Amino acid sequence: MADLVNLTIDGRAVQVPPQTLVIDAAKTVGIEIPAFCYYEGLSLQAACRMCLVEVEKMPKMMTACTLPVAEGMIVRTETEQVKQARKYTLEFLLTNHPLDCPVCDKGGECELQDMVFRYGAGESRYTEEKVHTPEKQFSPVVFFDAPRCILCFRCVRICNEGMGVNALGVINRGVVSEIAPNVGDHLECDECGACIDICPVGALTSGTYRYQTRPWEMTHVGTICTHCGDGCKTTLGTRNDEIIRGNNRDRSGINGEFLCIKGRYAFDFYNHPERLQAPMVRVNGKLEEVSWAQALEVVARKFDATVSANGSFGVIGSNHTSNEENFYLQKFAREVLKTNNIDHHRTGDVVTLLDAMSGTKSQLATVADLYDRKAVLVLGADLALEHPLLSYQIRANYRHHQAHVYAITPGEVREDKYTVASIRVGGGPASKKGDLGVIPGKEVGATTSGPGSHPVGGPGVVPNAEAGAHFDPVNGPGKATGSPTGFVVPANVKSITGNYFDALESLRDQLKAEPELVILFDDSIKGADVRALVEFAESLGIPVKFICLVDYANSRGAVDMGLTPELFPGYKPTGASGMHVSEMTGSDLDVLWVVGANPLKGAVKRKAGFLVVQDMFLTETAQQADVVLPAASAYEKSGTVTNTTGEVQQLTRAVNTMGAKPDLEIMGFIAREMGVAGQLGPWVANVVFEEIRKNVRGYSLPMPVIATGGAAQSMPVNGRIAVDDLSALVHSDHNGLFASGTLGRYSKVLNSVLESHLSR
Amino acid sequence: MLFNEPHPLETRVLTRRFGKPDTAAIEGYLADDGYQGFLKAAKMTPEQIIEQVKISNLRGRGGAGFPTGMKWSFVPRTSPKPKYIVVNGDESEPGTCKDRVLIENDPHQLIEGVLIAGLAVDAHAGYVYIRGEYRYLIDVMDKAIAEAYAKGWLGKNIQGTGFDFDLYTHTGAGAYECGEESALLESLEGKRGIPRIRPPFPAVAGAFQCPTILNNVETFCAVPYILREGGQAFADLGIPKAGGTKMTCLTGHVNRPGVYELKLGFPVKQMIEEVGGGMRNGKKLKAFIPGGSSCPVLTASELEGANMDYDSMAARKTMLGSGGVIIMDEDTCMVKAALRIMRFYAHESCGWCIPCREGTTWLKKILTRFHEGQGTRTDINLIGDIAKNMLGRTFCPLGDAAAMPTISIVEKFRDEFEDHLNGKPCAYEPAGVVTV
């Protein structure tokens, strides 16, 4: 680039793009300018004064975190004056800091410890009494110890700017200033815990992790969250075969450091007391625990007998199991059990999208696209609740790049705060809530906030230069109008009685003027609607990328791996008929084999002659089984999963649960017991994945990327997928932030937070 | 009405209506040249108005002394955004009590000044931000604004000039920090009163991120005279580079404390001896603070030949500041004075940046201990050292404001600190008693 700025930092020549801050410019040449309040991606504060540096020709020291580079600038970061300033700023900080490092959760990974060690004075001159206030519990997962707080305001910003929740603020002033929750003495928020992870000291601590261990005693395992379809990397801290905490502080993975409550805390289902740890076989009408060998034999003999007798099989797969397991399962069903009755719960119409897209210029978007594309259109979903990572990415895109965001949804969504246009449509599934992720009927902040006031997170930061133009001093932010409820309806939100396509048409001219667009849609758009949507996108004449939203960790992978009667792995039509989930549960098959799913609940009762269930818990389906095989969770196995954007990532085994086995292993053992193991191949995840890479269209992915914990997007299938329109089978569970299908019921954390009860 | 008896040595420009009947009401104001400056300005171009303000050598009266005309010229008049006029009436600097008398005795003078500023930058809305503790002034101001609307001096098409202007009052919640312009704007917008990062300056991105003129009450009050009588007439009242008069709040140990309007460049000695009626009880002067508690203190000997103006005070390494003169006589304990000042800053630090938040409280604790006779010799150096480590390193000038008087007191009155050592009782009051 020709227009780089040249400057000198500590005598070293530095070249960086214009507008780079000095603190970041220094990083490019390996010079650390210490800071607490500066945090990449969040608004600038200049509050901690740690980053003061000398700049030639400036009378005073400047904060490197707010100073943009200038041509010929000469910066010094290691002069006596600078060192002195750092030393005394740390001394100031420690005056009221309790220095209880030996019992503090943060000890060992505390930024204040590190800074004092490197830049601080050896001893303190402070002999006065310290300010003390008792510890507070903001929520089951967030505790706050005010004396440890150094008031860097990172938590306030990540909550407001990053999460769009604004649940934390500051009360009092001066030395007794304190971080405080949004509702009296407690939090009503996403309970994501981002504030805890971003805290440089031990002021905000996690309700599940506190006093459990020291950071250096843990092993850190990077794996993929097993809850929603966004595929966040979560780094599990384990000790003695126990998961102690989840976070992603190393910013590896597609989610950077983002995690919602599920990724950060809801791993806790894995050691729920009701977790199955021994196989069970129905004896005299009662399920009784038996050995693995006995259980496997019962299953294998029954399978053998049914195959020999030309009996009927049904196989229902899972949205949670790995690609390898799904691939192996369909192979097992089709090659050994000779049945095409194989299906899973479909949560998004991926098949129609891929078919409709073939031959067009449209592409599939990645999670990263949501952060840097110029415009985003959300159809149907309440992203902040159902796909928190995607929502976070779009918010960050708006904050950093002023992306144009459009939302066409049945209810109020968090995106409304900054959309160019939000349209409420009459249709859409009734289950959609009209709230902002917290409590129905309680309007949280956003209703009074228009585009004029939103993004200003701290003093002086003007992410949107035109923001003020909307302000009307009489009516408040936005050209607001009164609504019947008394709330101010922002000017960017309007309601129509029509459907999604009426709304799309009304936006046509605006969308056409965008340089590019990413469209996200959930199960409100399926079948012919998907085709119409792709057609609409094509007619805009701009590059469009799509994301078909699906529910669970491997919902996308289940379709990709051919867990449907009409498609083989890689979307090759089978041309043969087979039963769907409801047909299988509704007919009296000889054998029904359910792997990691719970189809027989509510009014749906077992009809099959013999029912084999592989699951972690004694679900409604498992309770009706003849044989229950205890399965390992995603955190207890290796393999790959494919997220809602088609990005494939690797699971890494973090812990083991005694008695439970990965589904792949269970299937392998059944195959061995039946004597067909040779035909199906080894039940080892990476061997199966190798087979997938070679044989499944779109999955010839770069192994080095995946094996090192990266994400590689599976290629869209180029070519028509000639199958019947089965979109009627597609329905999403619309799990909010505090639910995760059957799995969510077994997470203590998800059930303990106030919001999970209020939002039901 | 809150004002003291005027003194013959005063030059009554801003206060000239004080004491006359009905001046706080619009009738009284109109009867006495009221709104004439505005009518004159309405016939001028914005450039001409700003030119007159530049000629007047009016400098910001809030304390920093920035040339007002120049500040106004920074506002991008052609910006498509609305522009705002904001009046800083958050008078909180200890020793300062001038804005309250200006608002209480002559609120229309302020409104007229705001209207003229509106003409100068094409603004059509303004806010008078009034200190939280000045509750009663909100009523005064609201009444004046209502009168102005009723008589057509605010609102649409003011007096047929085609100029529209709306004016609102807004109250602070009692935070010294909100007198800092950017914190005031945050507070005005309904947020926590913490300062903003600058640039951008309010002239470019002020209230609601729109171009904004933000000046002190006294500054706006000077504007009607400048337009009515011409910038040169105002400039001629003062000295070169600093035009007009300064509202001076004479407080402390003088016989006639009060608010006096003195020409810039008025000799300090004359101010104390004649305007202030001399030192109380014939005592000797020990310390002198020229413009509110943020300024470094001066000793009696440093006051030789000093005048009340920006340069004369700068030459003595202090500031004219807000005009809050504090006079301390020989019976004053300077340790206690330092403590009283630091108690204020520790209480008022907004908590935003570390050196100010922690430093002020630390200093307060040491000074309290020291005054109680529990100080050690190392504390004396520590006090100066802490203050020096705050100076120039804080986010906004509040930290400097706390550090500067402390440094000057420790340096200039070190012997008094020594006298407090070893448990010795304070020479000026009974031991162990801290009545601050």
Side-chain angles (χ1 to χ4, degrees):
Chain A
M1 263 166 77
D3 54 349
L4 290 178
V5 175
N6 295 286
L7 68 157
T8 313
I9 304 178
D10 290 346
R12 298 183 61 176
V14 185
Q15 272 202 326
V16 287
Q19 291 303 310
T20 308
L21 298 168
V22 169
I23 195 167
D24 290 329
K27 267 178 215 158
T28 64
V29 289
I31 295 170
E32 180 192 60
I33 298 176
F36 290 111
C37 70
Y38 176 71
Y39 203 84
E40 213 184 324
L42 299 181
S43 64
L44 305 179
Q45 309 278 284
C48 76
R49 320 306 287 175
M50 273 302 285
C51 67
L52 288 170
V53 292
E54 273 181 42
V55 181
E56 211 159 85
K57 292 185 189 138
M58 302 261 191
K60 291 206 297 186
M61 286 191 286
M62 307 291 289
T63 46
C65 73
T66 56
L67 186 67
V69 293
E71 187 66 32
M73 187 183 255
I74 298 173
V75 181
R76 296 195 181 90
T77 75
E78 288 295 339
T79 63
E80 269 317 301
Q81 193 192 5
V82 172
K83 285 186 192 165
Q84 187 83 352
R86 288 174 187 166
K87 190 167 142 191
Y88 287 112
T89 298
L90 287 166
E91 185 183 31
F92 281 134
L93 266 185
L94 294 182
T95 56
N96 284 309
H97 191 82
L99 296 174
D100 59 348
C101 310
V103 295
C104 176
D105 278 331
K106 205 74 177 186
E109 52 182 14
C110 170
E111 291 179 39
L112 182 59
Q113 263 184 343
D114 294 348
M115 293 266 199
V116 173
F117 191 73
R118 179 149 183 204
Y119 303 106
E123 49 193 63
S124 173
R125 299 180 293 174
Y126 186 81
T127 54
E128 320 301 322
E129 199 176 318
K130 289 177 190 257
V131 174
H132 181 78
T133 44
E135 192 181 45
K136 299 173 183 70
Q137 181 176 10
F138 287 173
S139 88
V141 294
V142 183
F143 284 70
F144 179 61
D145 194 359
R148 288 181 188 154
C149 176
I150 62 168
L151 289 166
C152 64
F153 311 110
R154 283 187 197 175
C155 52
V156 176
R157 283 174 288 159
I158 192 74
C159 191
N160 176 12
E161 302 166 22
M163 302 307 301
V165 170
N166 219 348
L168 291 170
V170 189
I171 54 164
N172 302 339
R173 70 178 181 216
V175 78
V176 290
S177 300
E178 220 176 87
I179 303 298
N182 56 348
V183 188
D185 61 349
H186 68 281
L187 284 170
E188 284 178 24
C189 65
D190 285 1
E191 304 287 0
C192 68
C195 52
I196 297 168
D197 273 0
I198 208 168
C199 182
V201 294
L204 286 158
T205 52
S206 150
T208 60
Y209 169 72
R210 62 206 307 267
Y211 305 136
Q212 295 286 313
T213 181
R214 307 310 315 244
W216 58 85
E217 293 175 332
M218 287 188 291
T219 306
H220 302 279
V221 184
T223 188
I224 307 302
C225 172
T226 186
H227 293 283
C228 84
D230 292 353
C232 292
K233 183 80 161 290
T234 174
T235 303
L236 301 173
T238 69
R239 194 190 61 179
N240 297 340
D241 226 10
E242 264 184 76
I243 305 175
I244 312 281
R245 74 168 177 196
N247 68 20
N248 208 36
R249 290 296 286 151
D250 60 359
R251 301 189 185 185
S252 59
I254 53 175
N255 49 318
E257 65 193 319
F258 171 86
L259 283 176
C260 73
I261 181 170
K262 293 181 206 167
R264 200 170 265 116
Y265 302 110
F267 55 78
D268 61 349
F269 63 84
Y270 92 98
N271 58 1
H272 190 279
E274 289 175 32
R275 183 75 194 272
L276 298 177
Q277 289 188 291
M280 288 191 283
V281 171
R282 194 168 292 278
V283 182
N284 300 328
K286 249 181 80 185
L287 282 172
E288 279 182 14
E289 287 191 3
V290 295
S291 73
W292 268 102
Q294 288 169 303
L296 289 168
E297 202 192 333
V298 172
V299 175
R301 292 297 80 80
K302 181 70 189 175
F303 281 12
D304 274 337
T306 313
V307 172
S308 321
N310 232 347
S312 55
F313 277 100
V315 179
I316 298 175
S318 170
N319 281 313
H320 285 287
T321 48
S322 69
N323 287 325
E324 291 76 3
E325 289 163 341
N326 292 345
F327 183 84
Y328 197 91
L329 178 64
Q330 65 83 29
K331 198 172 166 189
F332 199 129
R334 289 181 166 124
E335 292 183 13
V336 176
L337 308 180
K338 311 278 184 211
T339 181
N340 210 27
N341 295 341
I342 180 162
D343 202 8
H344 71 288
H345 167 201
R346 307 166 192 219
T347 58
D349 198 356
V350 182
V351 179
T352 311
L353 175 67
L354 294 178
D355 184 34
M357 272 172 55
S358 65
T360 71
K361 290 195 206 83
S362 300
Q363 290 178 300
L364 292 178
T366 60
V367 169
D369 283 329
L370 291 177
Y371 176 68
D372 49 26
R373 295 283 144 176
K374 304 266 187 279
V376 177
L377 166 64
V378 184
L379 288 170
D382 189 348
L383 283 189
L385 301 191
E386 298 173 30
H387 294 276
L389 169 62
L390 308 186
S391 173
Y392 178 85
Q393 289 287 92
I394 296 171
R395 263 196 304 282
N397 194 357
Y398 170 73
R399 257 178 27 251
H400 295 158
H401 312 131
Q402 288 83 52
H404 288 180
V405 181
Y406 302 84
I408 304 177
T409 54
E412 215 171 79
V413 290
R414 200 175 292 171
E415 283 70 35
D416 290 345
K417 284 192 217 175
Y418 52 86
T419 52
V420 177
S422 289
I423 301 180
R424 294 289 100 83
V425 287
S431 67
K432 288 298 180 56
K433 293 168 291 292
D435 68 358
L436 282 159
V438 188
I439 299 159
K442 203 166 199 180
E443 316 297 323
V444 186
T447 40
T448 54
S449 157
S453 68
H454 169 64
V456 184
V461 178
V462 197
N464 185 351
E466 291 306 310
H470 304 290
F471 192 81
D472 172 354
V474 181
N475 292 324
K479 289 206 180 68
T481 50
S483 77
T485 56
F487 289 113
V488 176
V489 178
N492 60 328
V493 181
K494 61 176 180 189
S495 289
I496 62 166
T497 48
N499 62 19
Y500 286 95
F501 288 93
D502 299 324
L504 281 171
E505 280 307 326
S506 74
L507 291 176
R508 180 181 282 278
D509 291 340
Q510 268 172 294
L511 294 174
K512 243 179 152 155
E514 300 291 353
E516 56 187 354
L517 184 65
V518 179
I519 300 178
L520 302 93
F521 64 93
D522 69 355
D523 69 338
S524 321
I525 307 284
K526 53 189 179 186
D529 284 351
V530 177
R531 293 180 197 283
L533 180 63
V534 174
E535 230 166 77
F536 174 83
E538 283 294 298
S539 72
L540 294 175
I542 55 168
V544 178
K545 290 191 169 192
F546 284 97
I547 294 175
C548 174
L549 299 169
V550 291
D551 280 7
Y552 296 106
N554 205 22
S555 286
R556 174 66 194 275
V559 198
D560 289 355
M561 291 305 127
L563 283 193
T564 59
E566 72 272 21
L567 292 168
F568 285 125
Y571 300 90
K572 282 186 195 151
T574 56
S577 61
M579 291 184 182
H580 306 122
V581 174
S582 56
E583 291 166 342
M584 283 188 260
T585 54
S587 62
D588 45 1
L589 296 163
D590 291 325
V591 174
L592 181 61
W593 184 13
V594 180
V595 178
N598 187 18
L600 302 176
K601 57 178 180 245
V604 188
K605 296 287 178 223
R606 166 187 166 178
K607 284 194 174 167
F610 189 80
L611 176 62
V612 182
V613 176
Q614 294 174 211
D615 211 310
M616 283 178 268
F617 299 99
L618 205 60
T619 61
E620 288 88 336
T621 306
Q623 283 164 23
Q624 302 171 48
D626 293 294
V627 181
V628 183
L629 303 169
S633 75
Y635 302 137
E636 296 152 349
K637 63 187 172 198
S638 325
T640 60
V641 287
T642 308
N643 75 353
T644 191
T645 56
E647 289 169 270
V648 180
Q649 301 177 92
Q650 197 170 42
L651 297 172
T652 310
R653 181 188 287 230
V655 287
N656 299 289
T657 292
M658 190 188 278
K661 292 185 191 300
D663 290 296
L664 184 60
E665 209 170 302
I666 298 172
M667 293 184 262
F669 285 159
I670 297 173
R672 187 177 61 184
E673 198 64 35
M674 291 171 71
V676 295
Q679 185 187 346
L680 292 175
W683 51 91
V684 177
N686 50 10
V687 176
V688 180
F689 189 63
E690 212 35 51
E691 196 180 344
I692 293 171
R693 285 183 66 216
K694 289 204 182 96
N695 299 314
V696 178
R697 282 203 296 179
Y699 271 72
S700 53
L701 302 167
M703 210 47 214
V705 174
I706 293 173
T708 52
Q713 192 181 29
S714 60
M715 271 74 79
V717 176
N718 197 12
R720 298 298 305 271
I721 305 168
V723 291
D724 296 337
D725 183 354
L726 293 170
S727 59
L729 300 172
V730 171
H731 79 94
S732 160
D733 283 344
H734 295 293
N735 282 313
L737 277 173
F738 310 104
S740 179
T742 310
L743 205 54
R745 296 190 225 157
Y746 297 94
S747 164
K748 196 174 151 203
V749 163
L750 288 183
N751 292 297
S752 69
V753 294
L754 180 69
E755 295 80 358
S756 65
H757 303 285
L758 292 171
S759 60
R760 269 174 195 158
Chain B
M1 284 288 161
L2 182 135
F3 71 98
N4 47 279
E5 280 302 309
H7 192 275
L9 285 172
E10 282 187 75
T11 306
R12 302 184 66 195
V13 175
L14 275 62
T15 60
R16 75 189 180 94
R17 296 188 191 85
F18 286 23
K20 294 183 187 170
D22 272 350
T23 55
I26 194 160
E27 291 79 12
Y29 188 69
L30 285 168
D32 195 352
D33 290 342
Y35 290 109
Q36 295 307 306
F38 166 73
L39 291 178
K40 223 168 147 186
K43 298 193 185 84
M44 294 160 71
T45 64
E47 290 81 3
Q48 285 169 332
I49 298 172
I50 293 176
E51 188 53 32
Q52 285 304 312
V53 178
K54 280 185 176 168
I55 289 171
S56 75
N57 278 341
L58 174 64
R59 290 169 68 166
R61 299 296 195 230
F66 192 83
T68 305
M70 201 188 292
K71 196 175 196 176
W72 290 13
S73 68
F74 293 155
V75 174
R77 270 202 309 278
T78 50
S79 162
K81 292 180 178 182
K83 289 119 209 139
Y84 296 105
I85 310 295
V86 179
V87 181
N88 186 344
D90 192 73
E91 180 176 62
S92 322
E93 181 76 15
T96 313
C97 48
K98 61 190 177 60
D99 296 339
R100 62 193 288 187
V101 295
L102 284 170
I103 292 178
E104 187 173 4
N105 291 289
D106 202 354
H108 286 282
Q109 182 172 238
L110 174 61
I111 296 175
E112 186 179 352
V114 171
L115 285 173
I116 294 166
L119 285 169
V121 296
D122 190 31
H124 300 283
Y127 297 89
V128 183
Y129 186 95
I130 296 174
R131 179 185 177 195
E133 290 89 335
Y134 286 171
R135 289 277 147 190
Y136 69 103
L137 285 186
I138 299 202
D139 296 338
V140 174
M141 204 64 228
D142 280 341
K143 181 168 165 276
I145 289 173
E147 285 175 346
Y149 271 107
K151 299 274 180 187
W153 292 98
L154 278 174
K156 298 276 175 218
N157 189 15
I158 297 171
Q159 302 296 323
T161 57
F163 178 67
D164 305 335
F165 199 89
D166 290 305
L167 189 61
Y168 309 89
T169 49
H170 190 98
T171 168
Y176 172 70
E177 180 59 21
C178 291
E180 196 276 341
E181 58 175 10
S182 64
L184 184 150
L185 291 171
E186 287 284 298
S187 171
L188 181 67
E189 291 177 15
K191 300 176 196 152
R192 189 175 162 79
I194 44 172
R196 292 177 179 172
I197 294 170
R198 284 165 295 174
F201 288 91
V204 180
F208 315 107
Q209 301 298 340
C210 297
T212 300
I213 286 185
L214 206 167
N215 279 118
N216 183 253
V217 169
E218 187 186 345
T219 315
F220 281 115
C221 285
V223 172
Y225 178 90
I226 292 169
L227 268 289
R228 202 171 63 234
E229 310 290 335
Q232 195 56 48
F234 188 81
D236 290 344
L237 293 172
I239 54 169
K241 288 203 284 177
T245 58
K246 178 84 192 79
M247 298 288 284
T248 307
C249 319
L250 219 48
T251 68
H253 303 147
V254 285
N255 280 319
R256 273 170 41 93
V259 182
Y260 301 99
E261 185 174 7
L262 304 174
K263 285 180 178 181
L264 274 159
F266 199 88
V268 170
K269 209 164 178 178
Q270 198 179 9
M271 176 179 74
I272 298 173
E273 294 306 325
E274 299 184 31
V275 180
M279 297 296 293
R280 200 175 62 187
N281 302 331
K283 296 276 183 183
K284 275 200 284 191
L285 177 76
K286 185 192 255 183
F288 176 89
I289 297 178
S293 63
S294 308
C295 308
V297 300
L298 297 178
T299 59
S301 61
E302 286 175 299
L303 283 176
E304 279 307 315
N307 297 325
M308 289 298 285
D309 65 70
Y310 300 99
D311 294 342
S312 177
M313 288 301 159
R316 285 163 178 78
K317 296 201 166 56
T318 184
M319 307 178 296
L320 184 65
S322 60
V325 175
I326 302 172
I327 289 156
M328 292 177 250
D329 69 14
E330 56 188 323
D331 287 348
T332 312
C333 171
M334 292 311 290
V335 175
K336 184 177 166 185
L339 168 58
R340 185 64 194 84
I341 289 172
M342 194 49 62
R343 267 194 71 202
F344 173 78
Y345 288 109
H347 181 64
E348 294 296 346
S349 169
C350 76
W352 182 249
C353 73
I354 294 167
C356 173
R357 180 178 76 226
E358 306 290 344
T360 51
T361 302
W362 190 2
L363 283 171
K364 181 189 84 173
K365 286 176 176 170
I366 298 177
L367 285 164
T368 306
R369 185 163 51 79
F370 211 98
H371 191 248
E372 286 168 347
Q374 304 295 314
T376 63
R377 194 167 296 276
T378 51
D379 284 336
I380 305 176
N381 289 334
L382 185 59
I383 292 167
D385 201 36
I386 294 170
K388 279 178 195 151
N389 280 315
M390 288 161 62
L391 191 64
R393 294 184 192 161
T394 55
F395 187 95
C396 81
L398 199 153
D400 296 343
M404 287 188 296
T406 312
I407 294 171
S408 66
I409 292 173
V410 174
E411 281 175 358
K412 293 174 186 175
F413 299 95
R414 193 181 173 96
D415 51 336
E416 292 201 21
F417 283 82
E418 306 266 356
D419 287 345
H420 279 74
L421 286 176
N422 305 323
K424 260 194 278 173
C426 175
Y428 305 96
E429 55 186 291
V433 176
V434 186
T435 47
V436 284

